[in-house]
């Protein structure tokens, strides 16, 4: 039953409203999802050479919003090598080399008795077609050419293999704290919704305390309210609950709710062994492999807060080290247009096209995060 259910690319034939970062989604049955490591997405260049291969057990997954018994796996820009990502948002070209270096996409079941399920190349005005794979799971096979999506839509398939192209389904990669989160400031602990940014309170803005003990002025706070209906429609909008003590060393000191891609700082000898550094930033969704960390389906509605300092920092949230808003290209593409404009007016130097902000700590690739969490769990 496994199939590629959506291919979203950004180029002259299919542009996403709001610059939605590119992604490819695969739908598996629950039984197939239990062996997700058997399913591989292979990305090929126009000459057939292998650009990247991604195992589905290393990417973000979530229950199908309308079909119980199925799970969606999403391959995004953070799941592929940085060398094939353009502008922080593009790795799927779509037709005719329009947006990136990848021209063809294969889905393969590598388990016993498995085979290549589909191998697509998207047609264009002067198409690069009949791509033959060299290496990887689809080695030796030739693409099936499919038509492009209408402008503003992504390529989408239903359970019966029919094309049902619509505007791309949204991702939720932006870094957010939930209302009620306690942030350490020079005036003591404050709820995130009560913080005073310099854009609104220039004379008495809050100074946020970083993990190094230094004070940093709070430059901006964005807030996004998600209704019960929106949570029901899009499971990816649900927050991750990190229960008290789940990260070890009695951290956090109380339950912490964050968005799924919000990163927590983990310090461990395992990080030094794997990456040569002691501190790493790990996405909350990856931490759900730990006991006491889970997608909170009980939340009826949620309000997310984006905390922006002069640079990417590690702050203290409910006693645990956690990141502030990181203004990388992927995050900017998930902020609303109004929020981007506010940030641009406040800190134009942080979002200039030629600026690549520096992370406050090392951020492993997604597959590395999964391996790290697995090893961390075994010794925690």
């Amino acid at each position: 039953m496994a199939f590629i259910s959506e291919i979203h690319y950004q180029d002259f034939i299919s542009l996403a409203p709001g610059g939605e970062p590119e992604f490819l989604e695969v739908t598996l049955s629950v039984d197939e999802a239990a062996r997700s490591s058997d399913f591989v997405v292979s990305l090929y260049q126009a000459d057939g050479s292998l650009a990247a291969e991604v195992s589905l057990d290393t990417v973000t997954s979530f229950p199908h919003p309308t079909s119980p018994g199925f799970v969606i796996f999403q391959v995004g820009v953070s799941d592929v090598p940085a060398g094939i990502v353009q502008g922080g948002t593009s790795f799927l070209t779509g037709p005719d080399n329009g947006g990136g270096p990848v021209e063809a996409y294969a889905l393969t079941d590598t388990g016993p008795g498995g085979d290549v399920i589909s191998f697509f190349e998207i047609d264009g005005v002067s198409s690069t077609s009949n791509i033959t794979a060299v290496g990887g799971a689809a080695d030796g096979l030739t693409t099936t050419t499919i038509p492009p999506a209408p402008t503003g839509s992504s390529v989408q398939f239903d359970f019966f293999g029919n094309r049902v192209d619509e505007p791309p389904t949204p991702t939720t990669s932006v870094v957010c704290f939930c209302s009620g989160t306690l942030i350490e400031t020079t005036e003591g602990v404050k709820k995130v919704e009560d913080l005073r940014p310099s854009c609104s309170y220039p004379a008495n803005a809050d100074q946020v305390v970083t993990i190094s003990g230094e004070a940093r002025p709070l430059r901006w706070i964005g807030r996004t309210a998600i209704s019960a209906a929106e949570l029901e429609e899009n499971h990816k909008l649900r927050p991750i609950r990190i229960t008290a003590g789940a990260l070890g060393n009695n951290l956090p000191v109380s339950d912490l709710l964050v968005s799924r891609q919000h990163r927590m700082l983990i310090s461990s000898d395992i990080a030094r062994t794997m990456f040569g550094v002691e501190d790493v930033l790990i996405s909350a969704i990856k931490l759900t492999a730990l006991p006491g960390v889970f997608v909170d389906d009980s939340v009826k509605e949620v309000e997310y807060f984006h905390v922006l300092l002069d640079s990417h920092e590690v702050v203290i949230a409910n006693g645990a080290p956690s990141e502030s808003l990181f203004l990388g290209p992927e995050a900017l593409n998930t902020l609303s247009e109004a929020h981007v404009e506010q940030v641009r007016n406040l800190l134009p130097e942080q979002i200039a096209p030629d600026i690549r902000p520096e992370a406050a700590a090392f951020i492993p690739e997604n597959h590395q995060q999964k391996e790290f969490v697995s090893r961390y769990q075994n010794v925690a």
Side-chain angles (χ1 to χ4, degrees):
M1 187 63 211
F3 65 100
I4 293 176
S5 47
E6 184 168 5
I7 304 169
H8 166 53
Y9 54 91
Q10 301 180 112
D11 57 24
F12 65 96
I13 289 181
S14 180
L15 288 170
E20 180 71 27
E22 294 178 347
F23 58 84
L24 182 149
E25 289 186 348
V26 173
T27 296
L28 303 182
S29 69
V30 169
D31 288 342
E32 290 169 331
R35 56 181 187 90
S36 59
S37 60
D38 288 339
F39 292 88
V40 173
V41 170
S42 306
L43 306 175
Y44 290 93
Q45 297 174 334
D47 62 0
S49 59
L50 182 66
E53 240 171 15
V54 181
S55 175
L56 292 190
D57 67 324
T58 67
V59 307
T60 296
S61 63
F62 50 93
H64 196 288
T66 60
S67 299
F70 292 89
V71 181
I72 293 175
F73 291 78
Q74 185 178 87
V75 179
V77 293
S78 61
D79 301 309
V80 299
I84 69 169
V85 177
Q86 297 184 343
T89 63
S90 176
F91 71 101
L92 302 173
T93 170
D96 305 328
N97 296 301
V102 172
E103 282 285 343
Y105 330 102
L107 171 65
T108 303
D109 181 354
T110 65
D115 203 351
V116 176
I117 297 167
S118 54
F119 188 19
F120 294 141
E121 178 270 332
I122 302 175
D123 191 14
V125 177
S126 56
S127 85
T128 303
S129 59
N130 300 320
I131 298 171
T132 300
V134 180
D139 184 42
L141 297 182
T142 300
T143 53
T144 297
T145 301
I146 59 175
T151 300
S153 295
S154 60
V155 172
Q156 296 184 42
F157 294 92
D158 66 15
F159 287 90
F160 305 100
N162 301 313
R163 282 286 290 271
V164 288
D165 299 350
E166 293 180 348
T169 55
T171 58
T172 56
S173 58
V174 72
V175 172
C176 316
F177 294 106
C178 293
S179 56
T181 299
L182 301 176
I183 304 295
E184 190 74 32
T185 77
T186 54
E187 296 181 359
V189 171
K190 292 188 175 183
K191 290 182 179 181
V192 65
E193 60 265 37
D194 295 333
L195 292 176
R196 300 167 304 197
S198 61
C199 60
S200 302
Y201 303 90
N204 58 349
D206 279 310
Q207 300 284 318
V208 176
V209 177
T210 68
I211 193 172
S212 65
E214 298 178 284
R216 294 285 185 265
L218 177 62
R219 298 301 303 274
W220 175 80
I221 279 191
R223 55 199 304 165
T224 303
I226 308 296
S227 68
E230 289 172 311
L231 289 178
E232 184 67 26
E233 180 180 354
N234 188 352
H235 191 267
K236 291 179 288 184
L237 295 174
R238 294 189 178 278
I240 305 297
R241 181 176 293 274
I242 305 173
T243 58
L247 300 182
N249 299 317
N250 297 317
L251 297 177
V253 296
S254 58
D255 286 11
L256 175 64
L257 282 169
V258 295
S259 62
R260 63 192 298 125
Q261 296 300 338
H262 192 108
R263 290 177 282 249
M264 305 296 296
L265 188 78
I266 307 294
S267 300
S268 170
D269 289 339
I270 296 171
R272 186 173 298 281
T273 299
M274 291 182 65
F275 311 116
V277 295
E278 185 177 354
D279 301 326
V280 289
L281 285 165
I282 304 295
S283 300
I285 190 64
K286 298 300 183 186
L287 293 172
T288 55
L290 299 176
V293 184
F294 54 90
V295 177
D296 194 341
D297 291 318
S298 69
V299 174
K300 302 304 181 185
E301 55 188 20
V302 64
E303 189 167 21
Y304 287 118
F305 290 81
H306 323 300
V307 174
L308 181 64
L309 309 180
D310 280 318
S311 58
H312 191 223
E313 299 283 357
V314 175
V315 301
I316 309 301
N318 288 23
S322 183
E323 67 175 331
S324 65
L325 179 60
F326 184 41
L327 286 180
E330 190 174 352
L332 284 175
N333 276 278
T334 55
L335 291 173
S336 69
E337 291 184 12
H339 283 168
V340 171
E341 189 60 28
Q342 290 171 15
V343 173
R344 181 178 289 111
N345 291 335
L346 285 169
L347 300 169
E349 69 282 359
Q350 284 207 29
I351 59 175
D354 58 340
I355 295 297
R356 291 293 178 267
E358 183 177 346
F362 180 69
I363 303 174
E365 299 288 341
N366 272 7
H367 69 279
Q368 295 174 321
Q369 291 190 34
K370 180 174 182 177
E371 180 183 354
F372 169 79
V373 172
S374 176
R375 295 172 64 176
Y376 182 76
Q377 178 182 4
N378 291 334
V379 300

